[in-house]
Amino acid sequence: MTRMDGVRKWIFPSMMLVAIGFLIYFGIRRHNQSRKGQMYIELKAIQTPNGWGYDILANGKVFIHQNVIPAIPGNHGFRTKEDALAVGQKVYQRVLANEIPMVSVAEIKELGVYPDTTAHPDTAVHR
């Protein structure tokens, strides 16, 4: 057996290994490119010093941090976890629809969410 016969014996397996490597690389690359346009959005209630709030996460990172009731004057947290999630759900739906993620005072009232005004009666929301 000559030296050339030994080299020829390894050429085909080496070429196959390189070809398989390229197929795996391009397969992974294509899979990652197809996922680039996708985003995982999550709504999560959070406890705050003023009561409750919510975070909206995009791919695991905080996208919106809302620790007070939006659109209401003052620094009032949500009374309950359910109140925070009700408003958060409305904002979450707007994020998914690519709309401006905000709520109005009327929408807050419509959801039945009112701040605890016992500490600050001058900022009461009229029902």
Side-chain angles (χ1 to χ4, degrees):
M1 184 157 134
T2 66
R3 183 172 155 90
M4 220 32 205
D5 289 337
V7 170
R8 285 184 192 152
K9 187 166 78 172
W10 289 102
I11 288 177
F12 182 72
S14 298
M15 296 290 278
M16 289 302 294
L17 189 59
V18 169
I20 291 170
F22 274 119
L23 290 173
I24 291 171
Y25 168 76
F26 286 113
I28 291 171
R29 186 173 173 196
R30 179 180 225 164
H31 179 4
N32 287 342
Q33 284 177 343
S34 69
R35 293 181 59 199
K36 275 186 183 177
Q38 297 176 356
M39 188 177 293
Y40 178 69
I41 308 293
E42 177 184 7
L43 171 63
K44 184 171 127 181
I46 56 169
Q47 187 122 38
T48 69
N50 294 335
W52 287 90
Y54 63 87
D55 282 343
I56 295 180
L57 308 168
N59 290 336
K61 296 179 183 172
V62 175
F63 178 63
I64 296 174
H65 174 73
Q66 191 67 52
N67 59 346
V68 296
I69 302 174
I72 302 294
N75 192 19
H76 303 286
F78 292 93
R79 288 178 293 147
T80 66
K81 180 179 180 180
E82 290 73 23
D83 285 352
L85 289 174
V87 174
Q89 184 67 30
K90 195 159 224 28
V91 175
Y92 172 84
Q93 291 299 324
R94 291 196 172 139
V95 169
L96 290 179
N98 287 324
E99 297 174 358
I100 297 172
M102 57 190 294
V103 291
S104 66
V105 174
E107 290 171 318
I108 298 286
K109 288 180 181 180
E110 193 177 283
L111 291 169
V113 176
Y114 301 96
D116 179 10
T117 57
T118 55
H120 305 286
D122 56 323
T123 58
V125 177
H126 304 288
R127 298 180 191 192

